[in-house]
Amino acid sequence: MEELFNTLKINYKKVKLNDDITCYLTNANKDKIIMCVEVNSIEELTTINNFIPQNSKKIAEILDHDRDKEVVDNKIPISRFLWDMYLVGFHKITETGHFNPIKVSDIQRDRFVARKIIIEYTTDEELLEEFRKTIFPHTELDMCLGKIEKVNNEMISEIIKGVNINDKQHIESVDIFDFLDEISKALEKGD
């Protein structure tokens, strides 16, 4: 699990909730507390969820940031209502197979204490992809938009190279519309 966080460049803390349960804790985007644990059964995730309230002080101390000490109207720390807690259970699929989808759905709908998410995987690459898509969908979107932007910029540059406006003394709106039509057609073709 440490390799997962290191690959995604996420700061984390390893926390022992009790003798049997260790979780990896991070404060993503400073407003989303993510507790990741490896589980072998859905019931295990429920048990871990039940340890969260009695460990809330320990969690708060680990994730303590100066920003979280700010107070609204001198009464409520901002962190008390900005944090959103996620309990993410990683289940490596072995010969036991997938968890029962009905039980998975039931536990994910239960938002008491934390939003619960179960990520089932067979390889580390699959875990990385599923974790990023599920917990950090904005990074996936940023990567896709970056690729599209790069391709579009390259295509537009090629189209512009082929347009000769030096012969014209006055560029009219019709010339601009024709140019934009050429760009649009090239983008539709996907060249």
Side-chain angles (χ1 to χ4, degrees), residues 18-36:
N18 71 13
D19 292 338
D20 300 326
I21 302 171
T22 301
C23 74
Y24 294 81
L25 190 63
T26 184
N27 188 354
N29 301 330
K30 309 299 181 230
D31 66 349
K32 187 188 297 184
I33 299 172
I34 302 170
M35 297 180 68
C36 298

Side-chain angles (χ1 to χ4, degrees), residues 3-62:
E3 186 178 322
L4 171 72
F5 289 115
N6 292 333
T7 301
L8 294 173
K9 295 179 176 68
I10 298 171
N11 293 327
Y12 66 93
K13 303 280 184 187
K14 194 172 180 177
V15 179
K16 266 193 142 350
L17 296 178
N18 71 13
D19 292 338
D20 300 326
I21 302 171
T22 301
C23 74
Y24 294 81
L25 190 63
T26 184
N27 188 354
N29 301 330
K30 309 299 181 230
D31 66 349
K32 187 188 297 184
I33 299 172
I34 302 170
M35 297 180 68
C36 298
V37 293
E38 294 182 39
V39 294
N40 295 313
S41 71
I42 291 178
E43 294 75 24
E44 207 176 330
L45 195 65
T46 303
T47 302
I48 294 166
N49 187 62
N50 294 336
F51 278 107
I52 293 173
Q54 65 196 45
N55 284 286
S56 61
K57 186 174 181 181
K58 183 192 287 188
I59 293 167
E61 287 171 4
I62 291 168

